[in-house]
Amino acid sequence: MTDTHIVLDETAMLAAGQGNVLASRLIHRAHAEAGWYLYAPSCALVEADRTRPGTAEHLAALPGITVLDLDLPAALALARRETWAAAHTQYAAQPTPERPDGAIVATTLAKRWEGEPVRVLDLGV
């Protein structure tokens, strides 16, 4: 079995807080099933919380979600994107030694990621 790594962008975080069934399934799988990993980049958490206060605390408290800090390499990547949330999400989805194939970006705004070097899971369908 191959591990599945998914990074939530701020739109996916907001969708999870509003009862999106697909987002809820991802959260459940990351908590209950081996090999499923769900990540919340801290910059995307901040953006989601600005839109809907309480979102960051709620998601950070859920088992199965790993909050990704803004480290120096991620901070340097921020200048390449329009928003900090998108930049940190894209950075988090890139391949690493722990995730050689990178991660999938879960979003409700798939068009935002067109032309970007990331795989997308559209939660808006």
Side-chain angles (χ1 to χ4, degrees):
M1 179 181 135
T2 354
D3 291 341
T4 302
H5 298 273
I6 299 176
V7 178
L8 300 172
D9 76 358
E10 75 277 12
T11 68
M13 294 176 191
L14 291 168
Q18 296 171 330
N20 179 290
V21 174
L22 296 175
S24 295
R25 285 183 188 161
L26 289 176
I27 292 167
H28 173 74
R29 282 191 156 175
H31 172 65
E33 296 182 30
W36 281 81
Y37 300 92
L38 202 53
Y39 305 96
S42 55
C43 290
L45 267 177
V46 168
E47 196 61 38
D49 203 70
R50 285 181 177 165
T51 303
R52 188 166 184 248
T55 300
E57 286 177 292
H58 174 73
L59 284 173
L62 292 173
I65 295 183
T66 301
V67 176
L68 301 175
D69 294 332
L70 181 63
D71 59 9
L72 180 58
L76 295 174
L78 294 181
R80 297 185 203 127
R81 292 291 306 203
E82 215 171 281
T83 70
W84 285 31
H88 200 188
T89 301
Q90 182 175 341
Y91 174 79
Q94 298 308 304
T96 66
E98 301 83 28
R99 299 182 302 275
D101 294 327
I104 300 164
V105 173
T107 184
T108 62
L109 195 58
K111 279 195 172 284
R112 166 205 264 173
W113 297 103
E114 285 179 359
E116 298 296 337
V118 295
R119 295 172 291 157
V120 172
L121 174 61
D122 190 352
L123 304 180
V125 285

